[in-house]
Amino acid sequence: MKNICLNWTISILTGLFALFFLTSAGYIFKISVNPAYMPISFLIFFFTLTFLTFKTEQKYFVKSLLAQIIVLFDFIILTGVLCCLIPDASFDGITYHQAMIILLKLGLNPVYDNVSTFTNNQEYVFASSIPYVENFLKLHEIIGANIYNIFGKIELAKITNYIFMLCSLCYCVYTLRNFELSKFKSFFWTFVLIYNPICVYQCLSNYVD
């Protein structure tokens, strides 16, 4: 279990970093959010997980890998449905962060484009969001724009919150297990630390300052 937690953390973060890196590198070459980025990032995640699983679970490699993929797939489906059922109700999440995701999906290039000029050609944008779209860092929004570009559901961008929370949970369990805490105590204290009311609420919103 301890090795699986570490493998998931490394694999998922590697896939997310690949998605962010590909998109950011594309901006330098004047390529906007591209549908190819998600499949490439998924393959990087899959190969990383496969390698780490083979390295740590050689005896039951195939069964372990299949079980992990099924559990992660179920997690993505469950949290994706949750994201769609519970819309973002925060003002900042809708006007700033969601607006940034939409503009990135529509082709905004944060390296070269002026946001004010770009939004002049758009039918709808919150005027108050322009300074924030111009100046804010865009890690969460770049990942969200790729998800929105593939699936066409803006609420699905929030799934990034659940994925990062899963990584936090896994790494926290791995760390506590290294202190030789029992599985029960490791999961209990991880749950208390990770699934506090603030984090749970933030998962329901794109407002992740």
Side-chain angles (χ1 to χ4, degrees):
M1 176 60 72
K2 184 174 73 172
N3 289 331
I4 289 175
C5 285
L6 182 61
N7 293 349
W8 282 16
T9 305
I10 294 172
S11 303
I12 293 170
L13 291 179
T14 300
L16 291 175
F17 174 77
L19 182 58
F20 176 73
F21 178 81
L22 286 169
T23 310
S24 300
Y27 288 138
I28 297 173
F29 296 100
K30 298 187 177 181
I31 302 171
S32 299
V33 172
N34 191 291
Y37 294 155
M38 284 275 286
I40 293 171
S41 301
F42 175 79
L43 287 175
I44 292 172
F45 151 76
F46 178 75
F47 287 131
T48 304
L49 181 62
T50 300
F51 171 76
L52 293 173
T53 302
F54 179 76
K55 188 176 178 181
T56 57
E57 308 280 339
Q58 290 186 10
K59 188 175 181 181
Y60 304 104
F61 165 64
V62 176
K63 289 183 179 179
S64 177
L65 181 62
L66 286 174
Q68 290 177 69
I69 293 296
I70 290 170
V71 171
L72 287 172
F73 180 77
D74 289 343
F75 172 82
I76 293 296
I77 294 296
L78 179 62
T79 53
V81 170
L82 196 61
C83 287
C84 292
L85 290 177
I86 307 176
D88 189 348
S90 67
F91 178 82
D92 286 34
I94 295 172
T95 56
Y96 306 149
H97 299 275
Q98 200 173 98
M100 198 183 303
I101 291 169
I102 293 170
L103 291 175
L104 290 170
K105 187 256 185 185
L106 291 174
L108 173 69
N109 187 318
V111 176
Y112 299 107
D113 290 338
N114 178 278
V115 177
S116 297
T117 304
F118 182 83
T119 54
N120 286 337
N121 301 319
Q122 306 304 321
E123 295 181 2
Y124 173 77
V125 67
F126 286 103
S128 62
S129 70
I130 292 176
Y132 298 92
V133 176
E134 185 77 65
N135 299 307
F136 272 29
L137 296 174
K138 299 174 176 66
L139 169 63
H140 177 272
E141 288 75 17
I142 284 175
I143 295 172
N146 279 279
I147 294 170
Y148 181 33
N149 187 49
I150 291 291
F151 297 102
K153 297 284 186 182
I154 185 65
E155 294 295 343
L156 272 178
K158 297 179 298 186
I159 202 170
T160 309
N161 299 333
Y162 293 97
I163 294 172
F164 277 122
M165 184 176 277
L166 176 64
C167 291
S168 299
L169 182 148
C170 289
Y171 192 73
C172 191
V173 169
Y174 169 78
T175 302
L176 292 176
R177 290 290 287 155
N178 280 336
F179 286 102
E180 298 185 353
L181 268 68
S182 66
K183 287 183 180 180
F184 174 78
K185 288 183 178 180
S186 296
F187 277 100
F188 174 78
W189 288 114
T190 295
F191 187 85
V192 170
L193 289 169
I194 304 300
Y195 291 91
N196 61 75
I198 294 174
C199 287
V200 171
Y201 174 75
Q202 288 289 91
C203 275
L204 305 176
S205 170
N206 285 304
Y207 181 32
V208 289
D209 291 355

